[in-house]
Amino acid sequence: MRRLPDVFVDVSLGGVAVPRIFREAGYHVVTLHEQFGQRPVPDLEWMSWADERDMVVLCKDQRIRRNSAEKYALARSRLRVVCLTTGRLRSAEQQQLFLEHMPALERLWDMPERPWFYGISPSGLRRLGIEPSKESDKPLG
């Protein structure tokens, strides 16, 4: 029997509808608030935590791909990230979108090439770039 990856759901997707569909499909799901409480959690912190545990990440915030420090960390991780690219969907619409694309998502989990970052929208799944494009993309310090 195939082992399902653990799933981390960022606060941007909420803590109920999207986690529920993955839990009902047999996944072990951890939401940001379940793990870190109600405090604000920097993306780099939860990214590192999820990477250490080899989790699939579900989020809605594409800024990870644009923030230099986060993009740098993502590019050097082993994370598998699926990001909802349509920000105006209601909870039920988000849930339906993940349900519709569950078979395609499940084919992605075992891709040996990591990290990867896919966008999910009503038009489907699409791989999005994450590599820092120039020396200035590296974080300072």
Side-chain angles (χ1 to χ4, degrees), residues 13 57-62 65-66 74 80-87 89 97-98 101 104-105 108-109 116-130:
L13 282 177
V57 171
L58 306 178
C59 64
K60 185 167 64 172
D61 183 2
Q62 289 193 71
R65 290 181 47 238
R66 294 184 185 89
L74 178 59
R80 298 164 285 179
V81 180
V82 179
C83 182
L84 182 66
T85 60
T86 306
L89 296 179
L97 187 62
F98 280 101
H101 295 292
L105 290 170
L108 293 176
W109 300 159
W116 51 253
F117 194 102
Y118 272 81
I120 185 170
S121 70
S123 61
L125 288 170
R126 147 176 94 95
R127 189 162 192 159
L128 303 172
I130 56 171

Side-chain angles (χ1 to χ4, degrees), residues 25-123:
Y27 289 85
H28 174 256
V29 177
V30 178
T31 68
L32 184 131
H33 286 315
E34 289 168 349
Q35 177 57 38
F36 297 98
Q38 297 297 314
R39 70 178 174 90
V41 180
D43 287 346
L44 289 174
E45 183 177 347
W46 67 253
M47 288 169 64
S48 175
W49 184 86
D51 189 30
E52 289 170 6
R53 288 153 184 81
D54 196 30
M55 300 179 89
V56 168
V57 171
L58 306 178
C59 64
K60 185 167 64 172
D61 183 2
Q62 289 193 71
R63 289 179 300 171
I64 293 169
R65 290 181 47 238
R66 294 184 185 89
N67 176 289
S68 294
E70 293 168 8
K71 183 167 56 170
Y72 184 80
L74 178 59
R76 276 134 192 86
S77 74
R78 301 235 341 117
L79 285 171
R80 298 164 285 179
V81 180
V82 179
C83 182
L84 182 66
T85 60
T86 306
R88 297 180 187 247
L89 296 179
R90 295 179 198 173
S91 181
E93 294 168 313
Q94 292 175 12
Q95 188 177 25
Q96 185 59 36
L97 187 62
F98 280 101
L99 279 171
E100 286 175 14
H101 295 292
M102 187 72 78
L105 290 170
E106 290 181 333
R107 288 189 296 273
L108 293 176
W109 300 159
D110 296 325
M111 284 180 34
E113 178 190 332
R114 292 196 206 166
W116 51 253
F117 194 102
Y118 272 81
I120 185 170
S121 70
S123 61

Side-chain angles (χ1 to χ4, degrees), residues 12-23:
S12 61
L13 282 177
V16 179
V18 171
R20 179 186 309 128
I21 63 164
F22 282 88
R23 286 181 174 130

